[in-house]
Amino acid sequence: MSHVPALLVIDMQNAAVALSHRPRETVATIASLERRARAAGVPVIAVQHEGAGLEPGTEGWAIVPELAPLEGETTIRKGSADAFLDSDLDPCLRALGVTEVVVTGFATEFCVDTTARQALSRGYDLLLVADGHTTSARPAVDGFVASAQAVAHHTAVYRHLSFPGRSIRVLPAARIDFTAPRP
């Protein structure tokens, strides 16, 4: 089977990025990946959450300008942490022949994690961009760990996660070349 990646940019919307941990660095990392993906002919798919505080058409709901989809690129709307649930994501990926999702975005322990695991369950290989996902800026409160720890924890989990018949890679953006992984 051939290797066909797609870059997923999850919930990098104005309201989310405004309250995120390391927003400038994360946006810059994802923007660089978007440029490289487009240059390699890899589809860039924006995933956009709808819900309380992220009502369609509002400024908070809009994708940050640095990551705005280009003309003709796909935007998938979702209403839960799972970008596959009740959305067009899976049919879109299948129509493109995608075999691996390259996952970036917000929020690490919610939408990024849930979508990454669902991708694996649906038969896709996974590449988690170690420096391309983030969460809310917060200290350790209400049972949550501090932001930097949450990002590091989830990144480490994917380095050790095994899924039968799937390739799971965790790489920093600088090491991603959008080619097939080595066995």
Side-chain angles (χ1 to χ4, degrees):
M1 180 194 292
S2 64
H3 174 255
V4 181
L7 177 62
L8 298 185
V9 180
I10 301 171
D11 300 349
M12 292 301 287
Q13 296 160 255
N14 289 322
V17 172
L19 57 83
S20 71
H21 168 68
R22 299 184 66 236
R24 286 186 301 280
E25 296 89 343
T26 306
V27 168
T29 296
I30 296 170
S32 173
L33 274 174
E34 283 186 344
R35 286 189 297 275
R36 291 176 24 228
R38 290 171 181 135
V42 170
V44 176
I45 300 171
V47 178
Q48 197 170 19
H49 194 87
E50 297 179 0
L54 293 170
E55 291 82 9
T58 63
E59 183 63 25
W61 176 76
I63 296 168
V64 295
E66 300 91 333
L67 303 177
L70 298 181
E71 182 73 31
E73 288 183 335
T74 301
T75 300
I76 301 292
R77 291 178 164 191
K78 68 175 183 67
S80 74
D82 177 359
F84 289 93
L85 182 65
D86 298 328
S87 80
D88 294 328
L89 182 56
D90 196 45
C92 172
L93 295 173
R94 301 242 182 251
L96 293 168
V98 170
T99 61
E100 178 183 60
V101 292
V102 180
V103 177
T104 67
F106 179 90
T108 296
E109 63 274 73
F110 296 103
C111 302
V112 170
D113 181 58
T114 304
T115 299
R117 289 176 191 260
Q118 284 300 315
L120 290 165
S121 290
R122 291 169 185 264
Y124 298 97
D125 291 331
L126 173 68
L127 173 48
L128 178 67
V129 182
D131 52 349
H133 62 99
T134 190
T135 192
S136 302
R138 61 171 184 265
V141 295
D142 296 330
F144 284 100
V145 296
S147 307
Q149 289 174 300
V151 171
H153 169 81
H154 280 77
T155 300
V157 165
Y158 281 93
R159 284 193 177 105
H160 298 280
L161 188 63
S162 175
F163 218 94
R166 308 285 182 279
S167 167
I168 301 172
R169 300 185 294 157
V170 178
L171 294 172
R175 291 196 39 221
I176 296 172
D177 63 9
F178 294 106
T179 61
R182 290 181 201 89

